[in-house]
Amino acid sequence: MGRKYNRVTIRERNASALNLAFVEVKEKGSTVRKAAKKFRVPRSTLMDYLSRDKTDGQGFKLASYSVRQVLSETMENDLAKYIEQCSKLFHGLTTTMTRRLAYEYGIANKVNVPDPWKRDKSAGKDWLTGFLERHSQLSLRTLEATSLARMTSFNRTNLGVFQKKLEEVLLRYQLTQSCIL
């Protein structure tokens, strides 16, 4: 099986129908098979929800699709912001460094990480693929050294000289903003 799973069927979980079937079985004593047929929901799905039921007074809850997501959405957003910030400070991260960082971040926040993460001391390749899909603004690449001349030459003085020369050219040739593409 490839890394990217494409669903073959178009079946969607109907939360209201599952809820009605759930109530039918729990409160009215109907059989799972009859309730599943009556509300047109998969019997195995209804069985799963009934077996997971811990009547805490919260009622029926439809499980989210991101059951296997290790880091929460907010944690991933924080990680993405950190990676962007590192890039802005001329310290980009490779894929290996990002995977190791995700593992360390999960351990520091006491997240239950999978065993392969613990064994390798880094997140898996599949996690990284999903992370980059969820955060499409990120682009992890092989690091390339930024020359010291390039980093130091972009400063307030040089930028002021550039803007002064640009202003002189615009005045000399009487160019407007619409002329500049």
Side-chain angles (χ1 to χ4, degrees):
M1 186 163 133
R3 290 194 183 276
K4 179 77 173 151
Y5 175 73
N6 293 322
R7 188 181 185 98
V8 178
T9 61
I10 310 172
R11 268 187 5 199
E12 291 184 24
R13 298 183 298 175
N14 186 349
S16 60
L18 268 171
N19 190 21
L20 292 172
F22 184 84
V23 170
E24 182 85 15
V25 173
K26 286 301 258 184
E27 295 177 4
K28 297 181 181 174
S30 177
T31 63
V32 174
R33 188 179 300 269
K34 285 181 183 176
K37 193 171 188 175
K38 180 177 179 181
F39 295 101
R40 297 182 182 194
V41 295
R43 185 172 47 91
S44 58
T45 304
L46 183 57
M47 285 291 292
D48 287 344
Y49 283 102
L50 287 166
S51 66
R52 275 192 248 141
D53 179 41
K54 310 259 191 310
T55 49
D56 299 340
Q58 296 176 357
F60 174 81
K61 283 187 180 177
L62 191 62
S64 67
Y65 283 106
S66 61
V67 175
R68 297 184 307 185
Q69 189 171 337
V70 178
L71 301 177
S72 68
E73 188 176 338
T74 56
M75 292 173 79
E76 281 196 358
N77 289 338
D78 291 343
L79 192 60
K81 286 177 188 173
Y82 178 77
I83 292 170
E84 281 185 56
Q85 186 65 29
C86 285
S87 177
K88 289 177 183 174
L89 296 173
F90 301 107
H91 186 72
L93 301 176
T94 63
T95 56
T96 308
M97 292 166 72
T98 303
R99 289 171 50 206
R100 193 170 296 127
L101 180 67
Y103 166 74
E104 291 171 2
Y105 188 55
I107 294 296
N109 286 301
K110 296 178 178 63
V111 173
N112 188 17
V113 296
D115 291 334
W117 285 32
K118 292 176 186 173
R119 183 187 65 229
D120 300 335
K121 303 274 191 237
S122 70
K125 291 179 181 177
D126 290 335
W127 175 85
L128 182 65
T129 303
F131 176 73
L132 291 175
E133 283 179 8
R134 289 186 292 276
H135 301 279
S136 57
Q137 78 275 14
L138 295 178
S139 176
L140 301 177
R141 301 165 190 260
T142 305
L143 294 180
E144 215 176 279
T146 305
S147 68
L148 185 60
R150 182 174 177 189
M151 277 194 305
T152 56
S153 67
F154 187 74
N155 57 35
R156 185 178 301 270
T157 308
N158 289 346
L159 192 58
V161 170
F162 170 76
Q163 288 180 338
K164 187 183 261 185
K165 288 183 180 180
L166 178 63
E167 191 176 318
E168 288 174 10
V169 170
L170 291 176
L171 290 174
R172 185 182 320 145
Y173 296 108
Q174 297 177 352
L175 297 173
T176 61
Q177 290 179 348
S178 62
C179 296
I180 301 172
L181 298 178

